Amino acid sequence: MNNTSTYLSVLSTDFTNNGNIVGARTSFDAGSQNIHGSGTYDSLTINNLGGLTIDANGGNTIKINKVLTLKAGILTTNGNLSLLTSSSGSATVATIDGAINTGSITGNVTVQRYINNSAAWRMIGFPLSSSTTISASALSTLYGSGYNAYTYNETLDNGAYNGSGGVNAGWTSFTSSATTKADKGILMIGGTPTSTLSATGTLNTGTQTITLSSTSGKGWNLIANPFASNITWSTVQAASTNVDATVYRYDPNTSAYASYNATTTSQTGSGQNNIIENGAGFFVHVTTPGSAASLSVAETAKTSTAPASSLMGVQTPSNKSIIKLSLSKQGDQYADEVVLRWGGGFAATDNFDGNFDAYDLGRAVGPDLSVIGTDKTVYSIFHGAELKNSSDENRTVQLGMKNMAEGTYQIGIQLQSPIANGNKAYLYDSYTGTYTLIDDNTSNYSFITTSDTKSQSSTRFSVVMNAKQIATVINDNSNLPVILLNNPSTGNIFTLYSKNNYNQLQWQVIDGGGRVMQTGQINSVMKGSTHQINAGNTATGNYFIKLNGDGNALPVLKAIKN
C-alpha cells in the first residue's frame, strides 16, 4: 500500500504499507496480526489481545509521526519501529493506565527528538530503560566530530555555582570513550549539529523510579525524562521522595537556567512551565542532601499538553504578591529573570524552602540577575513569608547582579499579581538614590553603568516595601551642585541651574508615590548654564527630581508644580 489518506483505518488482517498514511489513526483490532513494509503512520493503535508483530525481516521499518496507543495486546517490534520527530513535534507513547489502555511493548524502538540546528547548549535525555547505555559515538551522529557533551556527577559537586570558583567539578566531560545510562541527562553543545537526535533501545513503560545521588552534601541531579511523552512536573514531584518542588532547565535562548516551582506555579525563563518535554534533560534537587531520595515518574504523569514554546512553556501565576524582574543590556534579545513573591496562602519563610524557592544557577553569557537571601543563598525564585499590613511592613529584599560592564541596561518590571495588605513595593537604585514604584503602570527601569565600580555593584538594586526613605530628599539649595530656579513652576517647565560641568546630566521627574513620570538627558552641561526640563502633563502637586551627573548620583530636588 502506498497512499495518503484522511480516514480511520480499522484492520483485522495482516497489513503491508510502504507509503504514508497521514491524517488518520490506524487501528489493529483482531486476531494475531503482522505488519509488513516500511511505511509511515500518523497514529497507530494496538487493540488486539492476540498482539501485533512487526516483520523481523530487514527493510521493514514502521514509522509513527504522532501517537502510539497500546490499548490491548503486545506489540512486538523486532527492532523495526521508529518514533519520528519534526519541528512541529515528536511521536509519543500514550498513557498505559491499566484501565482503558492495557497493552505493552517488547523489543527495541528508535526514538527521535528534533532540536533546532543551532550550536547552543541544550539538556537532552533518552526515554529508554535505565539499563540502556548511551555512548559518545552515538551522540556524534547528531553533533558531528565537533560536539562537546557533559554529564553531571553529584558526588563531585564542589558548590561552585554562578561562576564562583570556575566550572563546577560535578560536570564530567563525555569523551569519545565515555558512556552513561539512559536515565541520566546530558548537556550538549555542537560544532555542526543536525536537527534530529536518535537513539535505540527498550522503551520505558510503567512507573519509573530514579534513585537520586545525594552523597556530596549538595544533592543536584541531572536526569532524563524517562518516557517518550511529555510529562507534568507537579505530578512527578508530588509522588517523589525528598525532592524540592522546583525543576531546573537550561534555556538555550537566554543562556541561563529556567526554573519552575510546582507548589506556587512560579517560573523564570523563556516560557518554562509545568511541562517537561519528551527527550529533555533537567535538574532536580534533593531536599535534604545526604538522605535517600528518588524521583517517581508514573504513567499518569504523561500528558498530551505541549509547552507554549518548544523546550520551554509559559504559565501565568494566579496568586497574589508576585513580581517578575528581568535584567538586560541594551541590544540584548533575551533577559535574565527572577521572581519574588510573598505568602499567597503558602507556609513559606524568608529563608530557603524547598517547596517554594528555586536556586539561581547562574548565566554563562550576559548580565545575571538574582535574589540574595540574608543567609547568602542565591535565588531565581524567592518566596518570602506573608506580608504584614502596610503600616508595619518595611522589609527589603536584596537583588544581585553579575557580568556587568559599562553600558545601558534595563530592568523589566512585571507586577504579576497585586501586593497584599495594602503594601507598595519599590525597586531601589542605591547608586542614584531612586525609588521606582512597582505597579501596573511601570514596565521598566533604565540605568547606566560607567567606569565607576560602584555603578556596577552587585548589590546596587533591592526591592523595598513601602519605601519610607523616599521622603528623605534634600530641600536646601544652598550647597547643591544643581538647583531649581523656578520652583514652584509656572506650568510644565522646570529650570535647572548647574554649578558644575557634566558630559551627561540625566534627570527623572518622580511623583510622591515613587512613579517615574518623565525622564531625559542633557549633554555638555557647562558650569553656570541653565536648562529647561518638561515635567509633562502631570497634575499639580509635589514632585521629586532625581539627577545623575556623569554616572554619579546627585542630591534629589523637591519640585512643586502649580
Side-chain angles (χ1 to χ4, degrees):
M1 184 173 184
N2 190 349
N3 75 325
T4 298
S5 64
T6 57
Y7 54 83
L8 172 65
S9 303
V10 179
L11 304 173
S12 58
T13 62
D14 286 5
F15 186 68
T16 299
N17 171 33
N18 288 302
N20 298 312
I21 300 178
V22 298
R25 177 171 59 87
T26 305
S27 180
F28 289 84
D29 281 15
S32 179
Q33 296 170 281
N34 295 279
I35 185 170
H36 310 280
S38 57
T40 301
Y41 302 78
D42 254 13
S43 295
L44 195 64
T45 297
I46 313 306
N47 186 21
N48 182 349
L49 290 176
L52 177 69
T53 299
I54 299 175
D55 195 330
N57 294 329
N60 291 292
T61 302
I62 305 306
K63 299 177 283 290
I64 299 174
N65 282 321
K66 295 181 179 179
V67 183
L68 170 63
T69 302
L70 301 172
K71 192 172 182 65
I74 301 173
L75 172 61
T76 302
T77 72
N78 283 313
N80 289 330
L81 175 64
S82 292
L83 302 180
L84 303 184
T85 189
S86 69
S87 59
S88 60
S90 298
T92 65
V93 178
T95 302
I96 305 171
D97 57 14
I100 297 176
N101 295 332
T102 62
S104 61
I105 185 171
T106 182
N108 285 345
V109 177
T110 297
V111 291
Q112 298 181 353
R113 173 69 219 193
Y114 173 85
I115 296 179
N116 186 316
N117 60 341
S118 61
W121 289 105
R122 282 180 171 82
M123 286 181 174
I124 63 172
F126 298 90
L128 305 173
S129 66
S130 60
S131 61
T132 303
T133 297
I134 305 299
S135 67
S137 60
L139 298 183
S140 66
T141 61
L142 170 67
Y143 279 90
S145 59
Y147 79 89
N148 289 297
Y150 298 85
T151 55
Y152 197 80
N153 187 339
E154 189 273 342
T155 65
L156 301 178
D157 189 339
N158 62 358
Y161 312 128
N162 298 295
S164 60
V167 176
N168 192 295
W171 289 111
T172 303
S173 180
F174 203 55
T175 60
S176 59
S177 60
T179 60
T180 190
K181 295 301 182 182
D183 59 356
K184 306 299 182 184
I186 300 174
L187 179 66
M188 293 190 66
I189 188 169
T192 55
T194 61
S195 60
T196 302
L197 173 64
S198 180
T200 301
T202 303
L203 288 182
N204 291 313
T205 58
T207 299
Q208 301 299 303
T209 300
I210 302 173
T211 301
L212 302 178
S213 175
S214 183
T215 61
S216 72
K218 305 299 189 297
W220 289 103
N221 285 255
L222 177 59
I223 61 177
N225 177 353
F227 288 139
S229 172
N230 294 349
I231 56 176
T232 53
W233 167 245
S234 57
T235 303
V236 173
Q237 194 272 336
S240 299
T241 302
N242 197 21
V243 179
D244 285 352
T246 302
V247 62
Y248 301 82
R249 297 279 305 282
Y250 189 80
D251 184 344
N253 295 313
T254 64
S255 301
Y257 281 91
S259 51
Y260 174 82
N261 185 281
T263 304
T264 64
T265 68
S266 299
Q267 84 283 334
T268 66
S270 62
Q272 171 73 327
N273 76 343
N274 200 21
I275 307 301
I276 298 175
E277 284 185 283
N278 174 9
F282 57 98
F283 264 117
V284 296
H285 184 256
V286 175
T287 302
T288 308
S291 300
S294 61
L295 209 66
S296 181
V297 190
E299 288 278 348
T300 53
K302 289 182 177 179
T303 179
S304 59
T305 302
S309 58
S310 183
L311 297 184
M312 298 289 164
V314 169
Q315 182 161 323
T316 303
S318 59
N319 293 306
K320 58 186 179 179
S321 303
I322 307 172
I323 299 168
K324 178 181 280 189
L325 303 175
S326 62
L327 173 63
S328 60
K329 190 176 182 181
Q330 188 177 55
D332 286 353
Q333 183 177 1
Y334 298 103
D336 196 27
E337 298 176 336
V338 295
V339 170
L340 300 91
R341 66 170 300 157
W342 294 265
F346 300 103
T349 70
D350 285 338
N351 297 317
F352 186 86
D353 304 295
N355 282 332
F356 310 112
D357 299 308
Y359 294 103
D360 180 70
L361 300 183
R363 191 180 187 193
V365 178
D368 182 2
L369 182 65
S370 62
V371 174
I372 310 297
T374 56
D375 61 351
K376 306 305 180 184
T377 297
V378 184
Y379 299 80
S380 62
I381 297 176
F382 171 80
H383 191 139
E386 292 280 0
L387 294 171
K388 303 173 185 177
N389 290 327
S390 58
S391 58
D392 300 317
E393 185 60 73
N394 61 0
R395 78 184 79 179
T396 296
V397 178
Q398 180 65 58
L399 301 178
M401 297 191 304
K402 287 189 175 184
N403 305 334
M404 304 296 288
E406 292 185 41
T408 301
Y409 293 82
Q410 178 175 282
I411 293 179
I413 299 172
Q414 296 180 41
L415 181 62
Q416 295 192 326
S417 189
I419 307 299
N421 300 327
N423 290 283
K424 292 183 177 181
Y426 294 82
L427 177 69
Y428 176 55
D429 183 346
S430 63
Y431 186 70
T432 64
T434 301
Y435 291 84
T436 300
L437 180 65
I438 298 174
D439 64 4
D440 290 331
N441 298 313
T442 307
S443 61
N444 63 78
Y445 174 81
S446 296
F447 65 99
I448 62 172
T449 58
T450 67
S451 57
D452 182 356
T453 55
K454 292 182 179 179
S455 73
Q456 301 178 30
S457 170
S458 61
T459 57
R460 174 171 171 173
F461 290 92
S462 57
V463 173
V464 179
M465 285 296 171
N466 304 315
K468 299 178 178 60
Q469 297 94 323
I470 199 164
T472 61
V473 296
I474 299 175
N475 297 317
D476 181 5
N477 282 344
S478 58
N479 296 312
L480 299 184
V482 178
I483 63 174
L484 280 171
L485 294 183
N486 60 325
N487 190 30
S489 71
T490 53
N492 296 329
I493 303 300
F494 290 100
T495 301
L496 300 178
Y497 174 81
S498 178
K499 299 180 182 180
N500 295 313
N501 296 326
Y502 298 101
N503 291 322
Q504 291 182 341
L505 184 65
Q506 296 175 317
W507 56 269
Q508 294 179 322
V509 177
I510 298 174
D511 69 9
R515 185 183 294 108
V516 177
M517 309 303 294
Q518 297 288 335
T519 63
Q521 179 175 297
I522 307 169
N523 297 318
S524 302
V525 175
M526 303 299 293
K527 182 179 180 180
S529 62
T530 59
H531 302 271
Q532 292 185 327
I533 63 174
N534 193 329
N537 295 320
T538 52
T540 59
N542 296 329
Y543 293 87
F544 304 99
I545 297 179
K546 302 293 182 70
L547 301 169
N548 189 293
D550 293 339
N552 296 310
L554 304 180
V556 179
L557 305 178
K558 183 177 181 180
I560 302 173
K561 180 181 176 182
N562 286 336

